[in-house]
């Protein structure tokens, strides 16, 4: 006989946990490369910082959309 596995609890929490990996990696890359760019060209600090923060905001927006989407599109 086959073994049946049953999932109990909220599966969207597992989905969001997996979806949060991408933005987490993205934020790490953004700030890592930003610090490296500032170290190479300190005179461009303002422009690099501005682009770094813009990338961070857009990446975090994706994470927040992933958090809110399961609540908006619930199966009834």
């Amino acid at each position: 006989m086959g073994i049946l596995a049953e999932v109990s609890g909220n599966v969207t929490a597992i989905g969001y946990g997996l979806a949060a990996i991408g933005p987490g990696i993205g934020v790490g890359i953004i700030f890592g490369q930003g610090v490296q760019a500032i170290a190479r060209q300190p005179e461009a600090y303002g422009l690099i910082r501005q682009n770094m923060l813009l990338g961070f905001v857009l990446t975090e927006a994706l994470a927040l959309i992933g958090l809110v989407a399961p609540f908006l599109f619930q199966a009834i």
Side-chain angles (χ1 to χ4, degrees):
M1 289 175 81
I3 299 174
L4 295 176
E6 184 178 332
V7 177
S8 62
N10 194 354
V11 181
T12 58
I14 296 170
Y16 177 68
L18 293 174
I21 293 172
I25 293 171
V27 168
I29 291 172
I30 288 169
F31 283 106
Q33 295 296 319
V35 168
Q36 186 177 17
I38 291 170
R40 289 176 184 234
Q41 264 189 318
E43 66 275 2
Y45 172 77
L47 180 63
I48 294 169
R49 181 175 164 261
Q50 179 182 3
N51 289 332
M52 192 169 60
L53 290 176
L54 181 63
F56 169 73
V57 167
L58 294 174
T59 304
E60 283 300 313
L62 291 175
L64 291 175
I65 290 170
L67 176 65
V68 172
F71 295 112
L72 293 177
F73 306 111
Q74 286 182 355
I76 297 175

